[in-house]
Amino acid sequence: MKITRLSWAGLMIESPTTTLYIDPLQNVINMELFLGIPKFPIFPIPLPKTGKANALITHIHQDHFDQPFLKELLSNEGELWGPEPVFTEALKSNLKANIAKLHETFTIGDFTITAVPAVDWIGDEQISYVIRDGKHTILHGGDTNWHGYWWQIAKKYGPFDATFLPVNGVVGAVPQVVPAIEMFGTMTPAQAVSATRILGSIQLIPMHYAQFFNPPLYTQFPDIENALDNAGKDQEIVIRRLKDGEILEL
């Protein structure tokens, strides 16, 4: 399993015959009023070297469900999977879409995928994904908040070779969602480390942080890097940082 870190919460996962994308992001201009201008450039996503692309989408928010890019990415008969709101919107854009139902397993080429629970900060339907290639197992957590399903996921699908989890612990003021509450909308560094420990994972690859910071509308957790290091040391979890475009081979 060859995993390329893309921008924000994006991954590209490859086997000799299959290329799978999770939450790929390229278009951010429409989100700048809320998320702000990216603090560093969005990584140009490579297209598959051979064959078609397929995509997993965790939820409907634009920073995870980039419909203009998906139209390009999936133009060669590619398909996407996601929760029902993603499925509905994808059909409106003439994308070939499938509903990923909780705890139902499906196959894309060399990969076996299972949708597992996640919790969205404003209550929109969101899922995480367990991905297997027959030898290795990873979990991609979208931008989930902390929840109590970690123990169930660990029991049913663990242990994991790597967990990819959000760590920006954002406090935000989402337009039209009132009243605004000063609560974390995604996991904090310590929560991501704790989830990794519960899941029995060898390592945490932190994602969904640093690229967007736009207070008071979108304010990330302070001093994330030190918080990750301290939590990793306290809980004896390896923090494996990947830059955009960097590759993890399992």
Side-chain angles (χ1 to χ4, degrees):
M1 187 184 294
K2 177 182 177 183
I3 306 167
T4 303
R5 169 84 193 277
L6 307 177
S7 289
W8 203 226
L11 296 181
M12 180 175 73
I13 307 175
E14 299 172 277
S15 73
T17 65
T18 307
T19 305
L20 179 63
Y21 297 80
I22 309 180
D23 288 357
L25 177 64
Q26 290 287 264
N27 299 288
V28 299
I29 291 176
N30 291 339
M31 299 182 289
E32 287 181 358
L33 287 177
F34 179 56
L35 296 181
I37 298 172
K39 302 302 179 184
F40 46 91
I42 300 295
F43 179 73
I45 296 176
L47 298 178
K49 297 181 179 68
T50 58
K52 65 180 181 179
N54 291 289
L56 304 176
I57 304 299
T58 58
H59 62 297
I60 201 168
H61 298 167
Q62 291 181 59
D63 56 328
H64 297 258
F65 183 34
D66 184 349
Q67 293 187 64
F69 177 69
L70 288 166
K71 288 181 182 180
E72 174 188 352
L73 179 69
L74 305 178
S75 61
N76 185 25
E77 299 184 352
E79 300 181 46
L80 70 79
W81 283 256
E84 189 167 354
V86 169
F87 169 78
T88 301
E89 287 300 313
L91 292 184
K92 294 177 183 178
S93 297
N94 296 315
L95 292 165
K96 190 173 183 180
N98 308 273
I99 298 176
K101 297 180 180 180
L102 284 178
H103 300 296
E104 289 192 0
T105 297
F106 53 96
T107 300
I108 302 175
D110 294 330
F111 300 116
T112 301
I113 299 107
T114 306
V116 295
V119 174
D120 185 76
W121 71 332
I122 57 172
D124 287 331
E125 188 173 348
Q126 182 172 164
I127 55 179
S128 295
Y129 289 102
V130 174
I131 301 104
R132 301 186 180 97
D133 68 355
K135 295 181 179 179
H136 302 99
T137 303
I138 68 169
L139 181 133
H140 181 283
D143 69 0
T144 187
N145 213 327
W146 175 264
H147 55 69
Y149 297 105
W150 303 118
W151 289 269
Q152 296 179 21
I153 294 169
K155 184 176 180 180
K156 290 182 179 180
Y157 307 110
F160 294 86
D161 295 282
T163 54
F164 294 80
L165 294 173
V167 299
N168 69 333
V170 67
V171 174
V174 181
Q176 288 82 50
V177 178
V178 293
I181 302 296
E182 297 292 313
M183 298 291 286
F184 297 120
T186 57
M187 286 197 291
T188 66
Q191 288 173 337
V193 171
S194 294
T196 299
R197 180 162 61 94
I198 293 167
L199 291 166
S201 178
I202 294 173
Q203 56 192 326
L204 166 65
I205 292 84
M207 64 179 191
H208 198 274
Y209 74 109
Q211 198 150 31
F212 297 103
F213 182 63
N214 188 35
L217 295 180
Y218 197 86
T219 305
Q220 73 171 9
F221 194 86
D223 200 9
I224 288 176
E225 299 293 2
N226 280 331
L228 278 169
D229 287 339
N230 291 336
K233 181 178 179 180
D234 290 345
Q235 300 193 51
E236 298 182 341
I237 293 295
V238 173
I239 310 299
R240 175 73 178 272
R241 294 171 173 85
L242 294 180
K243 297 178 180 178
D244 292 356
E246 194 170 351
I247 293 170
L248 174 65
E249 297 265 10
L250 294 177

